[in-house]
Amino acid sequence: MGEPLRIGMVGAGKISGAYLDTLERLENVTLTAVTDLDQERAGAVAARVPGTAVAGSVAELVARPDVDAVLNLTIPAVHADVALAALAAGKHVYGEKPLAATREEADRMLAAAGAAGLRIGCAPDTVLGTGVQTARKAIDDGLIGAPVAATAFMTTAGHERWHPDPEFYYRRGGGPLLDMGPYYLSALVHLLGPVITVTGAGSRPRDEREIGSGPRAGDRFAVEVDTHVTGILRHANGALTTLVMSFDIQAARLPRIEVHGTGGSLSVPDPNGFDGTVELHRGTGEWETLPVTAGYVGAGRGTGLADLAESLAGDRPHRASAELARHVLDIMLTLLDSARQGRALPVESVCRKPEPVRH
């Protein structure tokens, strides 16, 4: 193994803790610098990871010679701005989802990376864990026959119940589809391949929400996006997925993801996690639990960054790629366009299924 990839973190908010838990135990990446609009939060990260410098701004961080790649943990509305600044400074980028707020922003990012010979990776990397990858191997091995259909459900009453500063979930670049859809859609592309057409519908039952926890509990804020989105996705292989993403459901007993084929059905664990039980029904008898057969064991948020570092060392494509994230973003935005226009729409972007993670 060569020298670890040196990481500069932009954004030290709530999600950064999960990344730090993973980065601290990875051998091929190391945190060298951090910046945040709140310098106290950046200082807390630096105190947790000895040897990490606090940069006073994004510009200062991306200019540092001890930063090879930028970990972009900012809010969705500025994902593209931070990524473009990093690319302009000659740094690779790995960012939180979604890749960008618009297709145009995403395309500028991909063009800048291509021109500079740099890599862009993007969450979610949960699809690289044992849950989705074991399910994918079962499908690839023909255990359910030819895939016919899938269902994908993410239902909750809303993130304002637990998040102390939830407004960004309900602004441009937010909503249940853009927030949680990347987990489900990235998994579906791994399992079934790219999507070619979508038909969507959406609603916004409430114009205001109330913060339910933290020092601002009781404060109200405006809702600017649809908070219940449903759709039908047609994959290039002919399979149809029924999708529901909602911040308006108080309780449900729906599965996370199921895939149904000509010879059986597969129950896939929560794609917001890295592992979980994969169950197979062969058409007769009972559901059976499949053993873990694929995926990074013990993965956590940041595994995709480690996969990117490994891919750079081995000169191979990385799996949590910008191309996949761009396709997922296009699926989501096209679904929202379809909901507004009331008709089926083609998904213009294409991507290949990423390489599987095999043991």
Side-chain angles (χ1 to χ4, degrees):
M1 181 181 296
E3 292 296 317
L5 192 69
R6 297 170 298 178
I7 306 301
M9 177 188 289
V10 179
K14 194 174 183 68
I15 193 62
S16 67
Y19 276 87
L20 292 173
D21 288 344
T22 305
L23 295 179
E24 287 174 339
R25 54 186 173 82
L26 295 173
E27 296 182 358
N28 63 346
V29 296
T30 184
L31 188 68
T32 56
V34 60
T35 190
D36 190 276
L37 292 174
D38 183 338
Q39 288 288 286
E40 288 188 9
R41 295 198 306 194
V45 170
R48 173 173 171 174
V49 185
T52 301
V54 175
S57 67
V58 173
E60 181 182 325
L61 181 135
V62 301
R64 291 181 63 92
D66 61 349
V67 170
D68 303 313
V70 170
L71 174 58
N72 184 3
L73 303 183
T74 57
I75 62 174
V78 297
H79 281 180
D81 292 340
V82 173
L84 289 169
L87 294 166
K91 315 298 184 182
H92 304 291
V93 176
Y94 185 91
E96 254 302 319
K97 47 74 187 169
L99 178 64
T102 68
R103 299 177 183 88
E104 293 75 19
E105 288 178 346
D107 289 342
R108 286 199 296 273
M109 291 166 58
L110 267 67
L118 296 167
R119 302 282 189 103
I120 302 177
C122 187
D125 51 4
T126 49
V127 292
L128 305 182
T130 57
V132 169
Q133 291 295 318
T134 293
R136 174 174 176 171
K137 188 173 189 304
I139 295 171
D140 292 348
D141 289 348
L143 298 188
I144 64 168
V148 173
T151 57
F153 301 112
M154 192 295 298
T155 59
T156 177
H159 292 348
E160 72 275 12
R161 287 190 169 189
W162 57 269
H163 199 290
D165 298 296
E167 287 93 336
F168 71 94
Y169 288 115
Y170 298 89
R171 292 176 179 162
R172 172 179 172 266
L177 182 62
L178 287 173
D179 175 44
M180 297 299 294
Y183 297 105
Y184 288 77
L185 292 168
S186 297
L188 289 165
V189 172
H190 270 268
L191 296 170
L192 298 174
V195 174
I196 57 173
T197 60
V198 298
T199 304
S203 65
R204 192 181 313 174
R206 287 177 281 167
D207 293 328
E208 283 190 337
R209 297 269 177 152
E210 182 177 311
I211 299 175
S213 65
R216 299 175 56 218
D219 286 359
R220 302 187 66 82
F221 60 92
V223 176
E224 301 174 2
V225 295
D226 283 349
T227 51
H228 185 98
V229 179
T230 186
I232 303 296
L233 320 177
R234 182 181 295 276
H235 296 263
N237 67 355
L240 297 175
T241 290
T242 300
L243 179 79
V244 175
M245 301 277 116
S246 183
F247 286 166
D248 291 300
I249 294 179
Q250 301 299 315
R253 293 179 176 175
L254 297 166
R256 300 294 187 176
I257 295 178
E258 288 184 350
V259 183
H260 308 284
T262 55
S265 294
L266 200 65
S267 176
V268 184
D270 185 353
N272 192 20
F274 289 85
D275 49 22
T277 300
V278 179
E279 293 184 300
L280 170 69
H281 196 290
R282 300 179 187 269
T284 59
E286 302 293 329
W287 287 91
E288 58 184 278
T289 298
L290 295 180
V292 171
T293 55
Y296 287 114
V297 176
R301 297 190 194 278
T303 294
L305 185 56
D307 183 79
L308 187 148
E310 183 181 301
S311 75
L312 287 168
D315 194 26
R316 63 161 177 82
H318 56 291
R319 295 179 174 92
S321 69
E323 290 73 22
L324 171 60
R326 170 64 172 84
H327 183 59
V328 167
L329 177 66
D330 195 20
I331 295 169
M332 296 188 295
L333 294 179
T334 304
L335 190 61
L336 295 175
D337 289 342
S338 172
R340 285 189 288 268
Q341 297 178 29
R343 62 189 180 96
L345 292 175
V347 176
E348 300 293 346
S349 65
V350 295
C351 79
R352 291 179 294 179
K353 288 174 66 173
E355 288 298 313
V357 182
R358 297 289 191 245
H359 288 170

